[in-house]
Amino acid sequence: MRCDICGSYETYIKEYKHDYTIKGKKIEFVSDRRFCKKCNNLVYDSKLDNEASKKAIDLYNKEYGITKESIVSLREKYNLSQELFSKIIGCAKKTLVSYENGNSIPNDNYLIIIKSLINKPDTMITLIESNKDKFTKTEYDKIKNKIDFNALTFEANEFIPSKYNGYTKLDMSKVYNMILCFADSKVLKTKLLKEMFYADFLYYKNTGASITGLEYAKINYGPVPENYEKIINECSKNKLIDYKIEFKNEYESHYIKRKEKIDTNVFTKEEYDTICKVKHFFENYNSNDIVKYSHSEKAFINTDFYKKISYDYAFDLKI
Ligand SMILES: [Zn+2]
């Protein structure tokens, strides 16, 4: 390498203290640079210079912006390609690639969007729906397939611990896997919804917390999770379960059977044991039996129709 100032080819590498100002912020660090032996000026060395500027960007992003790792993990959370994700946040794919490789600092617009997506996941819905015309039909369908809007809405709802959620934050992966556990073999929806109630309330009785964070309400058929229709439909749409309605003598029977493998890792051992205990307890109960059984619970008797059921009643549970 040749010194631009004096033309000498004799150079050496030494640690150099960098003192950058990026977007008005001071960034200081030490890294190797190349110098001229004769005149001691900095000599251009693409590899070392690149490393130094990457280091500066990395430090700035860590301190004031957003790290490349957070951007990648945000995109991977939704299983999106760089192509689709860049379209969603509104930048060129090249720009996103450069952010993800740590070659540049996200500009303020993208920074705000990316940070909102991390802190308020339902921003994703707003972004997609308000820019719908930017996507082709195929792209839009792909996005809708990958992103679970319902789960995002649930996730976004601010968590306020209360006696109605068992002082536990809603965890959709636990909800889904609990459903898979109870639908291990074909089960009537009515029975499954009751079993969920028993699992959450029994766990609360033993620990003072619910498993899923679901709220339950009283309807004719007993206690059911709030938004249960939405939850079951979501499971069916995402191919976690088979959901079939069968007709017999003018009666509808709603059957559920799991399609996806159960991921027991989302539960603690105690949570999983509680689910198994409930499942075992009601093994030989048909839908009517469990409805009847749940109607004799204080949780049911002392709650008004269509009102939420307090987890306080867990202590009076009959199982
Ligand atoms: Zn020189």
Side-chain angles (χ1 to χ4, degrees), residues 118-314:
I118 291 172
N119 299 326
K120 268 191 105 267
D122 58 329
T123 307
M124 185 62 102
I125 301 176
T126 318
L127 270 181
I128 294 167
E129 292 302 338
S130 57
N131 295 309
K132 214 170 158 177
D133 48 328
K134 275 198 327 206
F135 307 111
T136 64
K137 168 106 180 52
T138 324
E139 283 170 343
Y140 183 73
D141 290 345
K142 231 187 210 169
I143 291 171
K144 288 283 266 193
N145 234 328
K146 285 174 189 269
I147 299 175
D148 183 342
F149 280 29
N150 278 329
L152 276 182
T153 315
F154 281 126
E155 203 182 320
N157 285 338
E158 202 195 338
F159 169 60
I160 303 163
S162 80
K163 59 182 178 183
Y164 297 114
N165 52 35
Y167 305 95
T168 305
K169 190 172 192 286
L170 184 65
D171 183 332
M172 287 315 287
S173 66
K174 286 184 180 177
V175 172
Y176 292 151
N177 278 287
M178 185 188 274
I179 291 173
L180 295 182
C181 288
F182 287 129
D184 197 24
S185 47
K186 189 172 149 185
V187 64
L188 276 162
K189 187 172 80 181
T190 317
K191 180 174 177 182
L192 176 134
L193 299 175
K194 305 280 115 23
E195 287 179 312
M196 292 174 76
F197 159 79
Y198 274 107
D200 267 328
F201 273 62
L202 181 61
Y203 189 73
Y204 184 87
K205 183 182 178 179
N206 297 329
T207 67
S210 63
I211 298 175
T212 61
L214 276 172
E215 297 182 340
Y216 290 84
K218 167 174 170 171
I219 64 167
N220 286 332
Y221 293 106
V224 291
E226 285 271 38
N227 296 315
Y228 70 89
E229 291 288 0
K230 218 164 146 189
I231 296 169
I232 298 292
N233 286 335
E234 200 60 31
C235 285
S236 165
K237 206 184 89 192
N238 291 331
K239 303 195 169 63
L240 301 177
I241 56 164
D242 246 335
Y243 181 30
K244 276 204 187 84
I245 302 174
E246 292 174 14
F247 292 92
K248 212 184 196 177
N249 311 325
E250 295 183 24
Y251 279 106
E252 280 184 23
S253 297
H254 297 235
Y255 284 105
I256 292 170
K257 164 109 176 58
R258 79 172 170 83
K259 270 172 112 172
E260 188 59 60
K261 261 184 26 207
I262 303 165
D263 181 6
T264 53
N265 290 324
V266 304
F267 302 113
T268 64
K269 191 186 170 295
E270 291 72 25
E271 289 171 342
Y272 187 63
D273 286 349
T274 305
I275 294 170
C276 293
K277 197 181 161 191
V278 168
K279 207 175 151 186
H280 184 70
F281 186 91
F282 291 111
E283 211 166 12
N284 297 316
Y285 280 59
N286 67 25
S287 218
N288 279 333
D289 296 336
I290 194 171
V291 166
K292 226 186 256 168
Y293 195 83
S294 73
H295 280 192
S296 67
E297 295 287 0
K298 263 196 181 163
F300 184 81
I301 298 166
N302 291 355
T303 304
D304 289 334
F305 276 105
Y306 311 112
K307 290 277 190 263
K308 286 177 191 172
I309 301 172
S310 163
Y311 272 87
D312 288 343
Y313 292 116

Side-chain angles (χ1 to χ4, degrees), residues 3 5-8 36 38-41:
C3 171
I5 314 269
C6 71
S8 165
C36 170
K38 216 167 149 192
C39 72
N40 268 324
N41 278 300

Side-chain angles (χ1 to χ4, degrees), residues 59-173:
L59 284 170
Y60 177 90
N61 283 338
K62 270 200 185 108
E63 191 77 17
Y64 307 104
I66 193 153
T67 64
K68 56 181 199 272
E69 290 83 9
S70 324
I71 299 176
V72 173
S73 81
L74 171 68
R75 180 170 64 75
E76 287 179 345
K77 176 184 166 191
Y78 297 107
N79 203 11
L80 291 165
S81 63
Q82 288 176 322
E83 191 114 39
L84 270 183
F85 187 58
S86 60
K87 267 208 165 166
I88 291 172
I89 62 175
C91 70
K93 183 183 164 191
K94 256 184 165 168
T95 311
L96 177 67
V97 171
S98 152
Y99 293 162
E100 288 193 359
N101 291 337
N103 290 327
S104 56
I105 293 169
N107 84 24
D108 290 347
N109 288 334
Y110 301 136
L111 188 63
I112 290 168
I113 292 176
I114 293 166
K115 281 192 168 174
S116 318
L117 282 173
I118 291 172
N119 299 326
K120 268 191 105 267
D122 58 329
T123 307
M124 185 62 102
I125 301 176
T126 318
L127 270 181
I128 294 167
E129 292 302 338
S130 57
N131 295 309
K132 214 170 158 177
D133 48 328
K134 275 198 327 206
F135 307 111
T136 64
K137 168 106 180 52
T138 324
E139 283 170 343
Y140 183 73
D141 290 345
K142 231 187 210 169
I143 291 171
K144 288 283 266 193
N145 234 328
K146 285 174 189 269
I147 299 175
D148 183 342
F149 280 29
N150 278 329
L152 276 182
T153 315
F154 281 126
E155 203 182 320
N157 285 338
E158 202 195 338
F159 169 60
I160 303 163
S162 80
K163 59 182 178 183
Y164 297 114
N165 52 35
Y167 305 95
T168 305
K169 190 172 192 286
L170 184 65
D171 183 332
M172 287 315 287
S173 66

